[in-house]
């Protein structure tokens, strides 16, 4: 059986709605057995080796921080704080959802968690403000992608492990790009909802409201500060930082916010850990997928073609082509799969055509992150529609007005390496 027939069969499985993890497993097993003559025992051995990585512990731990803050009611305080900060801004409810998402993502590092949390919290706020749910939902879904961009991010950690790059350097490099994209989404949300929610003319009591809301959000703000100082000063590794902040958020949820009982804590943590039940197998089969591709010399062929393209049309055209490939794959595949499949192939090409590997890593992550809100896959779109009781079709109609500003910001980040390299 040839690789072509195996690949066509897997495409049919994809069209039929088969999960990407299972498709990768089928392709790896069939190609190993019939094409490259790998013993199937290799799948088990390499699976164990792939998961014996200390840094992977940071992924469920960062998710746990967001789950604990939500269970403890602190996420609601972040929304209240964000609304107080921009009280006079038109369209402040949608804009506050983006700002609160940014703060939530700076702790949890999870796009899915941000979309689910903000969707549940903001749905009644949008109804109260008279903002159409589709426009509010598009702001929530777009704000959710910040979980993959604003450090610390689980997506950044997975990318760093995939290409053997420094997770601390990548997190530092993502700070300005993440804030830039937050700003673009923030102003797009204002533009889309200002007609439904004009700016407030009330002047009195602003600082009192901000102070009171900041007091409620203080545990989350301290968690952000703890992560920033501990991670970027070198006191903690990403995994240690995730562990410390998870422990802190557990204390906050149980004894400060009193939103979680002590006996409920293991259940919350088990729910967070279950995320590895999705990511773990995908990481395993993607690494094996890369092994088979290497034997078939596919990366060498792709490398040769793109280098030839660069010699003929220049590095800028090659960069645009690579960004287009990342965006296309992100439209149809889960973000983790895009990283695990494409990153090892494209990182060497970027270096060969003179692009700084950290800068390219940020450009790649932003493009892959767009997949969270790009139809037809768009994980954040499904999560937001369910969390807000909104139809998927309605959300798709409005999400394009959020995708376009992010594409502009992505182009700025790619064209100006300063945004990625300023803190390095």
């Amino acid at each position: 059986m040839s690789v072509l027939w195996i690949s066509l069969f897997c495409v049919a499985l994809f069209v039929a709605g088969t999960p990407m993890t299972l498709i990768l497993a089928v392709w790896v097993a069939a190609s190993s057995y019939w094409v490259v003559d790998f013993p199937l025992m290799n799948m088990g051995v390499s699976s164990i080796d792939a998961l014996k990585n200390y840094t992977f512990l940071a992924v469920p731990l960062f998710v746990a921080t967001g789950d604990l803050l939500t269970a403890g009611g602190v996420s609601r305080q972040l929304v209240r704080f964000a609304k107080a900060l921009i009280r006079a801004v038109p369209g402040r409810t949608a804009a506050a959802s983006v700002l609160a998402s940014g703060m939530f993502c700076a702790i949890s590092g999870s796009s899915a968690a941000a979309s689910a949390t903000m969707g549940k919290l903001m749905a009644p706020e949008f109804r109260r403000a008279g903002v159409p749910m589709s426009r509010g939902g598009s702001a929530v879904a777009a704000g959710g992608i910040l979980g993959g961009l604003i450090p610390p991010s689980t997506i950044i950690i997975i990318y760093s492990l995939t290409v053997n790059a420094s997770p601390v350097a990548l997190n530092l490099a993502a700070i300005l790009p993440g804030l830039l994209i937050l700003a673009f989404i923030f102003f797009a949300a204002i533009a889309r909802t200002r007609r439904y929610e004009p700016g407030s003319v009330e002047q009195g009591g602003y600082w009192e409201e901000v102070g009171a809301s900041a007091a409620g959000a203080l545990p989350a703000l301290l968690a952000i500060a703890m992560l920033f100082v501990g991670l970027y000063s070198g006191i903690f590794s990403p995994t240690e930082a995730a562990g410390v902040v998870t422990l802190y958020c557990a204390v906050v949820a149980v004894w400060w916010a009193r939103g979680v009982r002590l006996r409920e804590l293991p259940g919350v943590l088990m729910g967070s850990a279950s995320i590895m039940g999705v990511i773990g197998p995908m990481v395993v089969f993607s690494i094996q997928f890369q092994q088979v591709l290497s034997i078939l010399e596919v990366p060498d062929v792709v490398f040769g073609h793109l280098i030839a393209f660069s010699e003929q049309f220049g590095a800028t055209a090659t960069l645009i082509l690579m960004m287009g490939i990342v965006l296309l794959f992100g439209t149809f595949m889960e973000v983790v799969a895009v990283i695990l499949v494409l990153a090892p192939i494209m990182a060497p090409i970027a270096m060969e055509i003179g692009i700084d590997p950290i800068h390219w890593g940020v450009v790649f992550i932003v493009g892959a992150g767009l997949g969270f809100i790009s139809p037809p896959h768009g994980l954040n779109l499904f999560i937001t529609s369910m969390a807000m009781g909104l139809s998927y079709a309605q959300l798709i109609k409005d999400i394009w007005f959020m995708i376009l500003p992010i594409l502009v910001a992505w182009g700025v980040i790619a064209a100006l390496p300063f945004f990625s390299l300023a803190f390095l």
Side-chain angles (χ1 to χ4, degrees), residues 177 180 359 363 410-421:
L180 180 68
H359 173 55
V363 173
W410 189 28
V412 172
I413 293 164
L416 302 175
F418 163 80
F419 283 99
S420 302
L421 306 178

Side-chain angles (χ1 to χ4, degrees), residues 52-138:
K52 288 194 304 185
N53 194 313
Y54 176 66
T55 309
F56 268 131
L57 285 174
V59 176
L61 288 172
F62 277 129
V63 175
T65 60
D67 290 346
L68 288 166
L69 290 180
T70 300
V74 180
S75 297
R76 187 176 298 279
Q77 297 297 330
L78 282 177
V79 173
R80 182 183 168 211
F81 177 55
K83 290 191 73 172
L85 278 177
I86 56 172
R87 188 177 72 180
V89 173
R92 74 165 183 157
T93 302
S97 75
V98 176
L99 195 57
S101 287
M103 291 186 282
F104 182 87
C105 291
I107 308 170
S108 73
S110 170
S111 292
S115 296
T117 299
M118 292 302 149
K120 291 175 184 176
L121 293 178
M122 297 307 300
E125 298 284 340
F126 288 130
R127 292 191 187 95
R128 198 157 34 241
V131 175
M133 294 296 281
S134 60
R135 298 198 177 195
S138 65

